[in-house]
Protein backbone atom coordinates (compact mmCIF):
# COMPACT_ATOMS: atom_id res chain seq x y z
CA UNK A 1 0.00 0.00 0.00
CA UNK A 2 1.24 3.49 -0.83
CA UNK A 3 2.20 5.95 1.92
CA UNK A 4 -1.21 7.57 2.55
CA UNK A 5 -0.56 10.22 5.19
CA UNK A 6 -3.34 12.75 5.78
CA UNK A 7 -2.56 16.06 4.14
CA UNK A 8 -4.73 18.50 6.14
CA UNK A 9 -2.94 18.10 9.51
CA UNK A 10 0.39 18.61 7.76
CA UNK A 11 -0.46 22.30 7.25
CA UNK A 12 -1.09 22.87 10.96
CA UNK A 13 1.31 25.30 12.68
CA UNK A 14 -0.22 25.17 16.17
CA UNK A 15 2.29 25.30 19.05
CA UNK A 16 5.10 26.26 16.68
CA UNK A 17 7.12 29.43 17.06
CA UNK A 18 8.15 31.84 14.31
CA UNK A 19 10.05 35.09 13.87
CA UNK A 20 8.92 37.47 11.11
CA UNK A 21 11.05 40.55 10.38
CA UNK A 22 9.56 43.58 8.64
CA UNK A 23 6.15 42.56 9.97
CA UNK A 24 4.92 45.98 11.10
CA UNK A 25 3.11 46.39 7.78
CA UNK A 26 2.79 45.02 4.26
CA UNK A 27 3.72 41.49 3.29
CA UNK A 28 5.33 40.73 6.67
CA UNK A 29 2.15 41.70 8.50
CA UNK A 30 -0.03 39.64 6.13
CA UNK A 31 2.26 36.63 6.69
CA UNK A 32 2.18 37.15 10.47
CA UNK A 33 -1.63 37.16 10.35
CA UNK A 34 -1.63 33.97 8.27
CA UNK A 35 0.83 32.13 10.56
CA UNK A 36 -1.34 33.05 13.58
CA UNK A 37 -4.46 31.91 11.73
CA UNK A 38 -2.75 28.52 11.25
CA UNK A 39 -2.02 28.38 14.99
CA UNK A 40 1.59 29.57 15.09
CA UNK A 41 3.09 31.94 17.66
CA UNK A 42 4.93 34.89 16.13
CA UNK A 43 7.51 37.43 17.28
CA UNK A 44 7.51 40.39 14.88
CA UNK A 45 10.73 42.40 14.56
CA UNK A 46 10.61 45.72 12.71
CA UNK A 47 12.32 49.11 12.84
CA UNK A 48 9.03 50.99 13.32
CA UNK A 49 8.08 51.99 16.85
CA UNK A 50 4.49 50.75 16.35
CA UNK A 51 3.09 48.18 13.91
CA UNK A 52 0.22 49.16 11.56
CA UNK A 53 -2.04 46.68 13.38
CA UNK A 54 -1.78 45.91 17.09
CA UNK A 55 0.12 42.63 16.97
CA UNK A 56 -1.36 41.63 20.36
CA UNK A 57 -4.84 41.68 18.80
CA UNK A 58 -3.83 38.59 16.81
CA UNK A 59 -3.29 36.72 20.09
CA UNK A 60 -6.90 37.13 21.12
CA UNK A 61 -8.22 36.59 17.60
CA UNK A 62 -6.39 33.29 17.04
CA UNK A 63 -5.43 32.12 20.54
CA UNK A 64 -1.72 32.34 19.74
CA UNK A 65 1.18 34.20 21.33
CA UNK A 66 2.29 37.31 19.43
CA UNK A 67 4.83 39.94 20.42
CA UNK A 68 6.25 43.03 18.75
CA UNK A 69 9.90 43.97 19.26
CA UNK A 70 11.32 47.13 17.70
CA UNK A 71 14.50 46.06 15.89
CA UNK A 72 16.80 47.55 13.27
CA UNK A 73 18.22 44.67 11.23
CA UNK A 74 21.08 46.88 9.98
CA UNK A 75 22.49 47.23 13.51
CA UNK A 76 24.28 44.14 14.84
CA UNK A 77 23.40 44.79 18.49
CA UNK A 78 19.76 45.61 17.70
CA UNK A 79 19.42 42.49 15.54
CA UNK A 80 20.96 40.25 18.21
CA UNK A 81 18.93 41.81 21.05
CA UNK A 82 15.73 41.63 18.99
CA UNK A 83 16.35 37.95 18.27
CA UNK A 84 17.10 37.16 21.96
CA UNK A 85 13.97 38.98 23.16
CA UNK A 86 11.91 37.18 20.52
CA UNK A 87 13.26 33.81 21.56
CA UNK A 88 12.58 34.55 25.22
CA UNK A 89 9.01 35.64 24.45
CA UNK A 90 8.52 32.43 22.47
CA UNK A 91 9.61 30.28 25.40
CA UNK A 92 13.12 29.53 24.13
CA UNK A 93 12.17 27.50 21.07
CA UNK A 94 12.08 28.44 17.38
CA UNK A 95 10.55 26.50 14.47
CA UNK A 96 10.81 28.97 11.64
CA UNK A 97 11.88 32.33 10.26
CA UNK A 98 10.41 34.63 7.61
CA UNK A 99 12.73 37.62 7.14
CA UNK A 100 10.61 40.18 5.25
CA UNK A 101 12.38 43.45 6.13
CA UNK A 102 13.34 45.02 2.84
CA UNK A 103 13.54 48.24 0.87
CA UNK A 104 13.72 49.14 -2.82
CA UNK A 105 14.48 52.11 -4.99
CA UNK A 106 13.49 52.71 -8.60
CA UNK A 107 16.13 54.88 -10.23
CA UNK A 108 18.34 54.69 -13.32
CA UNK A 109 21.44 52.56 -12.69
CA UNK A 110 23.82 55.44 -13.39
CA UNK A 111 22.12 57.59 -10.70
CA UNK A 112 22.09 55.06 -7.86
CA UNK A 113 24.47 56.22 -5.14
CA UNK A 114 26.98 54.50 -2.87
CA UNK A 115 24.75 55.21 0.16
CA UNK A 116 21.58 53.91 -1.53
CA UNK A 117 23.36 50.72 -2.62
CA UNK A 118 24.76 50.15 0.88
CA UNK A 119 21.41 50.69 2.57
CA UNK A 120 19.64 48.21 0.30
CA UNK A 121 22.30 45.53 0.82
CA UNK A 122 22.45 46.16 4.59
CA UNK A 123 18.71 45.60 5.05
CA UNK A 124 17.86 43.11 2.29
CA UNK A 125 21.01 40.96 2.33
CA UNK A 126 23.04 41.45 5.53
CA UNK A 127 19.92 41.69 7.73
CA UNK A 128 18.51 38.50 6.19
CA UNK A 129 21.89 36.71 6.37
CA UNK A 130 22.50 37.34 10.06
CA UNK A 131 18.89 36.82 11.14
CA UNK A 132 19.02 33.45 9.34
CA UNK A 133 22.34 32.70 11.06
CA UNK A 134 20.83 33.31 14.53
CA UNK A 135 17.80 31.19 13.62
CA UNK A 136 20.04 28.37 12.33
CA UNK A 137 22.18 28.41 15.49
CA UNK A 138 19.06 28.10 17.62
CA UNK A 139 17.58 25.31 15.48
CA UNK A 140 20.89 23.43 15.51
CA UNK A 141 21.05 23.72 19.32
CA UNK A 142 17.47 22.43 19.58
CA UNK A 143 18.22 19.58 17.16
CA UNK A 144 14.63 19.71 16.00
CA UNK A 145 14.98 21.02 12.44
CA UNK A 146 13.00 24.00 11.20
CA UNK A 147 11.92 25.96 8.16
CA UNK A 148 12.99 29.32 6.80
CA UNK A 149 11.20 31.14 4.00
CA UNK A 150 13.30 33.93 2.56
CA UNK A 151 11.66 36.67 0.49
CA UNK A 152 13.33 36.87 -2.90
CA UNK A 153 11.52 38.56 -5.80
CA UNK A 154 10.89 38.33 -9.50
CA UNK A 155 13.63 40.97 -9.43
CA UNK A 156 16.03 38.12 -8.60
CA UNK A 157 15.16 36.55 -11.96
CA UNK A 158 14.27 39.32 -14.43
CA UNK A 159 14.33 43.09 -14.82
CA UNK A 160 10.72 43.90 -13.92
CA UNK A 161 8.90 45.71 -16.72
CA UNK A 162 8.85 49.45 -16.04
CA UNK A 163 11.44 49.40 -13.22
CA UNK A 164 15.12 50.39 -12.93
CA UNK A 165 16.22 48.61 -9.77
CA UNK A 166 19.82 47.43 -10.22
CA UNK A 167 20.78 47.58 -6.52
CA UNK A 168 17.52 45.90 -5.52
CA UNK A 169 17.89 43.24 -8.24
CA UNK A 170 21.41 42.51 -6.95
CA UNK A 171 20.13 42.22 -3.36
CA UNK A 172 17.31 39.83 -4.24
CA UNK A 173 19.64 37.71 -6.39
CA UNK A 174 21.80 37.43 -3.28
CA UNK A 175 18.82 36.39 -1.13
CA UNK A 176 17.84 33.70 -3.66
CA UNK A 177 21.35 32.23 -3.72
CA UNK A 178 21.72 32.55 0.05
CA UNK A 179 18.60 30.41 0.49
CA UNK A 180 19.97 27.73 -1.85
CA UNK A 181 23.35 27.65 -0.09
CA UNK A 182 21.70 27.39 3.34
CA UNK A 183 19.26 24.74 2.09
CA UNK A 184 22.17 22.51 1.04
CA UNK A 185 24.34 23.17 4.10
CA UNK A 186 21.56 22.81 6.68
CA UNK A 187 19.61 19.94 5.09
CA UNK A 188 21.45 17.24 7.12
CA UNK A 189 20.02 18.96 10.21
CA UNK A 190 16.42 18.91 8.85
CA UNK A 191 16.44 22.69 8.48
CA UNK A 192 14.67 23.54 5.21
CA UNK A 193 15.27 26.85 3.44
CA UNK A 194 13.07 28.02 0.56
CA UNK A 195 12.12 31.29 -1.10
CA UNK A 196 9.11 32.94 -2.62
CA UNK A 197 9.56 35.31 -5.54
CA UNK A 198 6.65 37.77 -5.66
CA UNK A 199 6.09 39.96 -8.72
CA UNK A 200 4.21 43.27 -8.34
CA UNK A 201 2.52 43.27 -4.91
CA UNK A 202 0.20 45.96 -3.60
CA UNK A 203 2.17 47.42 -0.64
CA UNK A 204 3.80 50.64 0.60
CA UNK A 205 6.89 49.63 -1.36
CA UNK A 206 5.07 49.60 -4.72
CA UNK A 207 2.83 52.53 -3.72
CA UNK A 208 5.93 54.71 -3.32
CA UNK A 209 7.29 53.57 -6.67
CA UNK A 210 3.87 53.91 -8.31
CA UNK A 211 3.57 57.48 -7.07
CA UNK A 212 6.66 58.31 -9.12
CA UNK A 213 5.05 57.14 -12.35
CA UNK A 214 2.13 58.52 -14.29
CA UNK A 215 -1.20 56.86 -13.58
CA UNK A 216 -1.34 55.53 -17.12
CA UNK A 217 2.12 53.94 -16.91
CA UNK A 218 1.20 52.40 -13.56
CA UNK A 219 -2.05 50.95 -14.84
CA UNK A 220 -0.24 49.42 -17.83
CA UNK A 221 2.44 47.88 -15.60
CA UNK A 222 -0.06 46.14 -13.36
CA UNK A 223 -1.66 44.59 -16.44
CA UNK A 224 1.68 43.13 -17.54
CA UNK A 225 1.33 39.76 -15.70
CA UNK A 226 -0.72 37.22 -17.68
CA UNK A 227 -3.32 37.23 -14.85
CA UNK A 228 -3.54 40.99 -15.44
CA UNK A 229 -3.54 42.41 -11.94
CA UNK A 230 -1.29 43.42 -9.10
CA UNK A 231 -0.83 40.67 -6.47
CA UNK A 232 -2.47 41.24 -3.10
CA UNK A 233 -0.48 40.52 0.06
CA UNK A 234 -2.88 37.64 0.75
CA UNK A 235 -1.92 36.06 -2.59
CA UNK A 236 1.43 35.19 -0.95
CA UNK A 237 0.25 33.64 2.30
CA UNK A 238 -0.72 30.13 1.10
CA UNK A 239 2.73 29.43 -0.34
CA UNK A 240 4.53 30.61 2.79
CA UNK A 241 2.29 28.56 5.10
CA UNK A 242 2.94 25.54 2.88
CA UNK A 243 6.72 26.03 2.98
CA UNK A 244 6.74 26.53 6.77
CA UNK A 245 4.59 23.48 7.37
CA UNK A 246 5.19 19.73 7.35
CA UNK A 247 3.31 19.57 4.04
CA UNK A 248 6.61 20.79 2.54
CA UNK A 249 8.73 18.33 4.56
CA UNK A 250 10.65 17.14 1.47
CA UNK A 251 10.90 20.58 -0.16
CA UNK A 252 14.04 22.61 0.29
CA UNK A 253 16.05 24.95 -1.97
CA UNK A 254 12.81 25.65 -3.86
CA UNK A 255 11.62 29.01 -5.12
CA UNK A 256 7.90 29.65 -5.67
CA UNK A 257 7.15 32.46 -8.11
CA UNK A 258 3.90 34.26 -7.18
CA UNK A 259 3.63 36.69 -10.02
CA UNK A 260 0.36 36.20 -11.87
CA UNK A 261 2.51 34.48 -14.50
CA UNK A 262 4.91 37.38 -15.02
CA UNK A 263 7.93 35.05 -14.68
CA UNK A 264 6.84 33.30 -17.86
CA UNK A 265 6.05 36.37 -19.92
CA UNK A 266 3.90 39.47 -20.29
CA UNK A 267 0.68 39.95 -22.20
CA UNK A 268 1.80 40.94 -25.69
CA UNK A 269 0.20 43.89 -27.36
CA UNK A 270 -1.27 45.46 -24.22
CA UNK A 271 1.84 47.05 -22.83
CA UNK A 272 4.06 49.72 -24.26
CA UNK A 273 6.94 51.03 -22.14
CA UNK A 274 9.10 54.04 -22.81
N1 LIG B 1 5.89 44.84 -2.76
C1 LIG B 1 6.37 44.13 -3.75
O1 LIG B 1 5.96 44.28 -4.92
C2 LIG B 1 7.42 43.09 -3.49
C3 LIG B 1 7.76 42.20 -4.50
C4 LIG B 1 8.74 41.24 -4.28
C5 LIG B 1 9.36 41.16 -3.04
N2 LIG B 1 9.02 42.04 -2.06
C6 LIG B 1 9.73 41.91 -0.79
O2 LIG B 1 8.80 41.68 0.26
C7 LIG B 1 9.34 42.19 1.49
C8 LIG B 1 8.30 43.05 2.18
O3 LIG B 1 8.04 44.17 1.35
P1 LIG B 1 6.68 45.01 1.40
O4 LIG B 1 6.23 45.17 0.01
O5 LIG B 1 5.77 44.46 2.41
O6 LIG B 1 7.29 46.41 1.84
P2 LIG B 1 6.90 47.40 3.02
O7 LIG B 1 7.73 48.62 2.81
O8 LIG B 1 5.42 47.53 3.15
O9 LIG B 1 7.42 46.61 4.33
C9 LIG B 1 8.79 46.48 4.63
C10 LIG B 1 8.95 46.43 6.14
O10 LIG B 1 10.35 46.34 6.43
C11 LIG B 1 10.61 47.18 7.56
N3 LIG B 1 12.01 47.59 7.60
C12 LIG B 1 12.66 48.44 6.75
N4 LIG B 1 13.92 48.64 7.17
C13 LIG B 1 14.09 47.90 8.29
C14 LIG B 1 15.18 47.69 9.19
N5 LIG B 1 16.36 48.31 9.01
N6 LIG B 1 15.00 46.86 10.23
C15 LIG B 1 13.82 46.25 10.44
N7 LIG B 1 12.74 46.41 9.64
C16 LIG B 1 12.89 47.22 8.58
C17 LIG B 1 9.68 48.37 7.34
O11 LIG B 1 9.50 49.13 8.53
C18 LIG B 1 8.42 47.70 6.83
O12 LIG B 1 7.55 47.37 7.89
C19 LIG B 1 10.64 42.92 1.12
O13 LIG B 1 11.75 42.08 1.34
C20 LIG B 1 10.47 43.17 -0.37
O14 LIG B 1 11.71 43.30 -1.02
C21 LIG B 1 8.07 43.00 -2.25
Amino acid sequence: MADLQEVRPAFELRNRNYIVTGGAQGIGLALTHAICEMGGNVAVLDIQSEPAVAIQSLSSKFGTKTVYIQTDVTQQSSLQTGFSKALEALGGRLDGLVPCAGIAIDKPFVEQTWEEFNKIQEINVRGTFFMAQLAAKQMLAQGSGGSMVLIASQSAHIGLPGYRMAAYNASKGAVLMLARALAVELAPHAIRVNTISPGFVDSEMTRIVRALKTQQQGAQMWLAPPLQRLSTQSDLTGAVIYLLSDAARHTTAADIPITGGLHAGTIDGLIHYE
Side-chain angles (χ1 to χ4, degrees):
M1 189 67 176
D3 169 30
L4 293 179
Q5 289 185 30
E6 287 183 332
V7 68
R8 197 186 299 268
F11 284 89
E12 186 62 55
L13 301 183
R14 192 149 295 279
N15 297 324
R16 297 206 179 161
N17 296 334
Y18 298 92
I19 291 177
V20 176
T21 74
Q25 63 177 47
I27 293 169
L29 182 56
L31 296 179
T32 298
H33 189 277
I35 294 170
C36 291
E37 184 191 337
M38 296 304 289
N41 306 311
V42 186
V44 174
L45 275 51
D46 196 292
I47 196 168
Q48 296 182 40
S49 54
E50 297 286 339
V53 168
I55 294 294
Q56 286 79 1
S57 70
L58 299 176
S59 307
S60 39
K61 189 171 177 188
F62 296 116
T64 58
K65 188 190 285 182
T66 47
V67 289
Y68 184 79
I69 300 157
Q70 189 179 15
T71 305
D72 180 353
V73 300
T74 68
Q75 302 301 317
Q76 190 178 15
S77 61
S78 178
L79 183 143
Q80 287 173 341
T81 306
F83 182 88
S84 300
K85 284 184 181 170
L87 195 61
E88 194 184 339
L90 294 170
R93 186 195 150 88
L94 187 67
D95 298 289
L97 171 72
V98 187
C100 287
I103 59 164
I105 56 163
D106 177 31
K107 221 177 172 189
F109 170 56
V110 291
E111 291 173 20
Q112 296 192 11
T113 66
W114 189 276
E115 290 73 24
E116 287 166 342
F117 176 89
N118 277 351
K119 194 162 182 217
I120 286 182
Q121 309 313 317
E122 283 171 7
I123 298 173
N124 297 8
V125 184
R126 198 176 66 193
T128 299
F129 184 100
F130 284 103
M131 195 52 80
Q133 189 185 67
L134 289 172
K137 280 184 187 171
Q138 178 60 29
M139 290 170 186
L140 289 171
Q142 291 169 190
S144 53
S147 173
M148 301 190 213
V149 182
L150 274 44
I151 313 298
S153 169
Q154 265 315 287
S155 300
H157 304 266
I158 58 170
L160 285 179
Y163 280 100
R164 293 96 17 111
M165 306 180 89
Y168 182 76
N169 286 90
S171 78
K172 290 299 175 176
V175 168
L176 185 73
M177 194 55 224
L178 171 65
R180 289 182 178 174
L182 298 188
V184 173
E185 188 174 333
L186 299 174
H189 306 280
I191 300 171
R192 297 182 295 101
V193 187
N194 295 286
T195 50
I196 59 165
S197 281
F200 296 125
V201 185
D202 187 8
S203 75
E204 277 309 307
M205 184 177 278
T206 47
R207 261 171 233 141
I208 291 163
V209 177
R210 269 183 281 167
L212 303 173
K213 301 181 184 295
T214 67
Q215 265 192 338
Q216 201 197 0
Q217 277 179 319
Q220 284 178 328
M221 279 166 59
W222 314 132
L223 290 175
L227 287 176
Q228 293 185 60
R229 68 167 172 82
L230 201 57
S231 300
T232 66
Q233 293 162 14
S234 297
D235 289 336
L236 312 181
T237 55
V240 174
I241 295 300
Y242 162 68
L243 291 171
L244 288 176
S245 77
D246 290 349
R249 58 188 165 269
H250 206 52
T251 298
T252 197
D255 177 61
I256 301 184
I258 308 170
T259 67
L262 185 64
H263 59 285
T266 56
I267 296 287
D268 276 350
L270 275 180
I271 307 135
H272 305 283
Y273 301 110
E274 288 178 335

